[in-house]
Amino acid sequence: MRQLKSTITIPMHYRTKSLSVVGLMFSKVDKFLQTSGKRTTEVKTLDISKENLPEYAGVVTMLYE
């Protein structure tokens, strides 16, 4: 994340309830969020454009049901 100097980072592989037992091999996203030191935004859907990019700068986590 730091090497790429990304504007937005979306964590993808972390422990969630939907992964059931398989999810135990992944860490919880909280550890990543603390380590990143970036602002975190939680969204249900994400629609990024050049104009709204600054709104999502940092780490974006997706809500799941």
Side-chain angles (χ1 to χ4, degrees):
M1 181 175 88
R2 289 182 181 102
Q3 288 178 335
L4 294 174
K5 298 180 183 173
S6 60
T7 301
I8 298 174
T9 302
I10 302 171
M12 296 173 50
H13 301 289
Y14 56 90
R15 188 182 310 174
T16 63
K17 290 179 186 176
S18 62
L19 292 175
S20 65
V21 177
V22 176
L24 295 176
M25 60 190 230
F26 297 109
S27 296
K28 292 183 179 183
V29 74
D30 302 344
K31 185 176 180 180
F32 175 80
L33 298 176
Q34 285 179 332
T35 305
S36 75
K38 301 277 185 173
R39 179 182 76 139
T40 303
T41 304
E42 196 172 57
V43 297
K44 188 171 183 175
T45 59
L46 182 61
D47 184 18
I48 302 170
S49 67
K50 187 177 178 180
E51 293 76 29
N52 71 6
L53 191 62
E55 292 177 37
Y56 298 109
V59 179
V60 177
T61 57
M62 306 296 292
L63 292 171
Y64 59 95
E65 296 177 10

